[in-house]
Amino acid sequence: MKVDEGLFEVEITLPASFFEEESEEEIRAKAEENGFRACIVQEDGSVTYKMTKAKHREMLEEMRADLDESISEMIHGEDAVKSFRKIEHAEDFSSFDIYVDRAEYTSLDGLYVLAFYLSGAYYQAFDGKDINQIDVVVNFIDEATNETFASSSYRDFADQMEESEPEG
């Protein structure tokens, strides 16, 4: 992931892993649909987008609004997570504090951590943070005692996944 901000334009290169399920034609069609100035599919499968600074800001604002709406749905939506009471996050989505009712909390609720990892990491990457510096910390906090009873990190998770991949 690389973000290069020029005077009038922003250039973002996303890794090939973001596009594993898409053909080059689909990637280009989405880029055009999103109003990017250019879309270059590299030999390694990574994709470089060029867009105006205004378009980049607009996309970050849309990502922020979508994330905030998803968080609201987890608390108040039709399929709300029963134990979740409140979710707070850092401005750059590098941390999430999830306040829960411990009596309602189950180990399945902890699986939501993956959604926070992916959303926070993607936002930070798109905002230009160095891929090696991206991290998302998720804390589960007992709403009655304010005690953090579980905490995990995207960086630790990603490192663990890399270690468990078979060499080939």
Side-chain angles (χ1 to χ4, degrees), residues 49-107:
Y49 295 112
K50 292 182 182 182
M51 65 192 80
T52 64
K53 282 192 169 193
K55 182 64 176 174
H56 184 243
R57 262 191 318 277
E58 175 190 321
M59 292 194 72
L60 285 172
E61 288 170 11
E62 284 176 16
M63 290 169 72
R64 174 176 294 287
D66 289 348
L67 255 153
D68 284 337
E69 184 172 328
S70 293
I71 289 169
S72 179
E73 286 293 314
M74 286 183 190
I75 303 294
H76 307 291
E78 188 176 312
D79 296 320
V81 181
K82 193 172 183 181
S83 69
F84 289 9
R85 296 296 181 257
K86 174 174 74 171
I87 300 172
E88 297 174 340
H89 60 79
E91 185 72 19
D92 66 352
F93 297 101
S94 62
S95 68
F96 294 86
D97 290 333
I98 305 169
Y99 292 83
V100 302
D101 179 338
R102 282 296 292 271
E104 300 282 346
Y105 182 83
T106 70
S107 58

Side-chain angles (χ1 to χ4, degrees), residues 13-27:
T13 301
L14 301 174
S17 61
F18 282 33
F19 304 97
E20 290 175 349
E21 303 295 320
E22 297 179 73
S23 70
E24 189 170 329
E25 293 76 29
E26 290 171 322
I27 293 168

Side-chain angles (χ1 to χ4, degrees), residues 132-143:
N132 297 312
Q133 300 301 313
I134 290 174
D135 199 7
V136 180
V137 175
V138 179
N139 300 304
F140 286 93
I141 302 168
D142 183 329
E143 73 166 341

